Amino acid sequence: MSIHRTVVLAGATSEAGLAAATALIAAGARVIATGRSEERLAALRDAGAQTEIADATSFDEMNALAERLGPVDAVIPLVGGWRGGGGLAGQSDADFDALLPALQAVRATSRAFDAAIKASDAGRFAIVSSTVVTRPLAGGANYAAMKAASEAWTRAVAQGYAKAARDAGDDLRAASVVFRAEGALQADALSRAVVALWDEDAAALNDTVIALS
């Protein structure tokens, strides 16, 4: 399947980011990969992605990037990580602060690229979450809370897309989606899910949870 789309992978310097970029490029997409380190972006550039130094957690930097890029079809924030253990007593403020950038990236990217995704004829916004939100454990309360907040924000984005289309009297063309991983994120599963974002139309896809398996 060929995907002639422009996709922004924000905070893409992880293994999963490289895998998603490689799969999208192989499918025909133009990929813009962001990160804060030129050195860590090198592998993405070698894979054929356009790379941009920008902090995915910063609305100002994401907004400036959106203005430079112009039309895009999809944005996927990939800032993440896990901190936990030690039961509820072990849920430290330091761990919470270390996990916060994942939520900040969801907020910053969705806001900065909101107009561009709505303007696309098949706009997509997707985040990576975890099944921990369905059964949070005391030892992972910080992590589960951050993922739950990210999912809530992404569902609000979905409602915004639907409302904008309804108010304009247009068909829904933009979709906001949650990818939910069980256990550690598998890069190949994420790659398949990202490429498949255009297999369904927006009306069927918007405000859905897709299991990564």
Side-chain angles (χ1 to χ4, degrees):
M1 180 180 64
S2 183
I3 303 172
H4 298 293
R5 299 291 175 186
T6 298
V7 181
V8 176
L9 300 179
T13 55
S14 63
E15 177 187 354
L18 177 59
T22 302
L24 283 163
I25 292 165
R30 173 196 177 203
V31 173
I32 297 99
T34 81
R36 292 182 295 180
S37 163
E38 189 70 49
E39 181 180 357
R40 295 189 66 190
L41 284 168
L44 289 147
R45 188 166 51 253
D46 291 345
Q50 174 184 334
T51 58
E52 298 280 348
I53 298 291
D55 182 354
T57 70
S58 166
F59 173 71
D60 288 343
E61 292 192 29
M62 287 294 101
N63 197 49
L65 178 63
E67 290 180 355
R68 288 200 307 274
L69 293 178
V72 303
D73 300 295
V75 178
I76 305 169
L78 293 171
V79 176
W82 188 86
R83 297 276 287 268
L88 200 62
Q91 303 306 291
S92 69
D93 290 346
D95 284 349
F96 186 85
D97 290 344
L99 292 166
L100 186 58
L103 174 59
Q104 291 172 324
V106 171
R107 295 183 66 252
T109 54
S110 61
R111 293 164 61 212
F113 288 94
D114 185 57
I117 292 174
K118 288 175 180 173
S120 169
D121 64 355
R124 301 291 186 263
F125 180 76
I127 71 160
V128 178
S129 186
S130 168
T131 55
V132 300
V133 299
T134 65
R135 189 175 181 274
L137 304 177
N142 278 335
Y143 180 74
M146 205 63 65
K147 289 299 185 184
S150 295
E151 288 200 12
W153 185 277
T154 304
R155 294 197 66 192
V157 172
Q159 190 276 334
Y161 292 164
K163 184 178 186 301
R166 186 170 61 250
D167 289 350
D170 292 335
D171 292 334
L172 180 62
R173 297 189 300 269
S176 178
V177 178
V178 172
F179 295 136
R180 198 179 276 170
E182 182 172 2
L185 176 62
Q186 300 299 314
D188 58 342
L190 176 63
S191 299
R192 290 193 299 270
V194 168
V195 171
L197 277 172
W198 290 272
D199 287 355
E200 295 185 83
D201 63 27
L205 194 62
N206 194 40
D207 200 15
T208 61
V209 174
I210 297 172
L212 297 181
S213 59

